[in-house]
Amino acid sequence: MKLIIANKTHSSWSMRPWLVLKQFGIPFEEVLIPFGPTMDDPDWKHAVAEYTPARKVPSLVDGAVAVWDSLAIIEYLAEAHPELPIWPRDRAARALARSISAEMHSGFGALRGACPMNLAWVHPARDRGEAVAADIARITEIWRDARQRFGDGGDFLFGAFGAADAMFAPVTSRFTTYSVALDPVSAAYVEAVQGTAGFRAWRDAALAEPWIVPVDELDEPVLTDFRPHISRSRAQP
């Protein structure tokens, strides 16, 4: 199988199926096509079109089968590997895992817009508006509920790492990047996700990247710059 992704520093959607593949030990080849200077760069879209008619990442190519969209790819992997607990085995837990993954997939637009994923820097905390605060409150509510109801036996939403954790992994990075204050349960969950071998490998590769995406490089004070080899002046909008 081939997984087509974009920059690891910025591509939250690429991270999700990549983590499932890595954490469950499913062999695959990574094909990374760096974003162009804009999100609508025609050369980038042309390169990605070789793998998916949607002209977006991620995309999974498995022989003659092509699957695109993070959640569709994760579902495909779960069907291809029924021996792996990508979704929880318990029916009620699986229903909740799918529901919150779909909610993550389609929601939280305020948080996405105000806090783009960027693994390179840490910004100081600040008020980002009521809509962002509401998104954060709902996400942490989801995490606490899943942990309370189904989290026994591990540090993740349903005990062991699974698809729902992969769907929320980029959010944990956003909370770190933007110094979001969290309740103890949510803070421990962020630490667990970011402590996985898959997340650490993704972040290490991201910090070694030479590329930037200007739209995701906010012109804000920076507490920590994890990529000193890239000048901040290059990253201004």
Side-chain angles (χ1 to χ4, degrees):
M1 289 189 288
K2 293 182 179 180
L3 183 69
I4 294 78
I5 63 173
N7 311 39
K8 290 180 177 176
T9 302
H10 303 96
S11 185
S12 58
W13 291 111
S14 296
M15 175 191 273
R16 293 177 165 106
W18 191 96
L19 283 178
V20 171
L21 288 161
K22 280 290 187 180
Q23 286 298 116
F24 285 96
I26 302 171
F28 73 103
E29 176 186 346
E30 176 187 305
V31 179
L32 194 157
I33 304 176
F35 285 127
T38 70
M39 301 305 287
D40 295 319
D41 180 66
D43 292 335
W44 184 83
K45 287 187 174 293
H46 179 74
V48 173
E50 178 182 346
Y51 302 98
T52 167
R55 293 174 171 81
K56 295 180 180 180
V57 292
S59 178
L60 183 77
V61 178
D62 185 13
V65 177
V67 190
W68 53 94
D69 181 277
S70 292
L71 196 51
I73 294 170
I74 291 172
E75 290 285 12
Y76 179 81
L77 294 173
E79 290 185 357
H81 294 276
E83 76 282 4
L84 300 175
I86 293 174
W87 293 107
R89 299 298 195 196
D90 177 79
R91 186 178 182 182
R94 187 165 63 252
L96 180 61
R98 283 197 162 114
S99 294
I100 64 176
S101 294
E103 185 175 354
M104 177 69 257
H105 187 272
S106 61
F108 309 115
L111 177 67
R112 297 180 200 274
C115 304
M117 188 172 99
N118 189 324
L119 290 168
W121 293 336
V122 174
H123 296 288
R126 70 174 180 85
D127 183 1
R128 297 181 182 276
E130 292 183 5
V132 174
D135 280 355
I136 293 169
R138 174 56 186 151
I139 290 167
T140 55
E141 178 186 33
I142 287 171
W143 292 353
R144 292 192 302 272
D145 178 58
R147 289 288 298 144
Q148 180 180 7
R149 293 168 61 188
F150 299 108
D152 289 346
D155 296 326
F156 301 98
L157 295 179
F158 298 89
F161 184 93
D165 303 296
M167 289 298 294
F168 280 99
V171 178
T172 75
S173 79
R174 283 177 161 95
F175 287 175
T176 300
T177 296
Y178 298 97
S179 302
V180 174
L182 298 172
D183 62 86
V185 172
S186 298
Y189 176 64
V190 167
E191 184 176 355
V193 171
Q194 296 187 9
T196 61
F199 189 97
R200 294 198 308 270
W202 177 279
R203 181 172 54 197
D204 289 346
L207 297 179
E209 289 178 344
W211 315 294
I212 61 170
V213 178
V215 70
D216 288 339
E217 304 283 347
L218 301 186
D219 186 14
E220 294 185 3
V222 175
L223 294 176
T224 305
D225 183 352
F226 292 109
R227 296 191 305 180
H229 59 288
I230 292 183
S231 169
R232 177 159 171 74
S233 64
R234 290 176 52 200
Q236 299 303 318

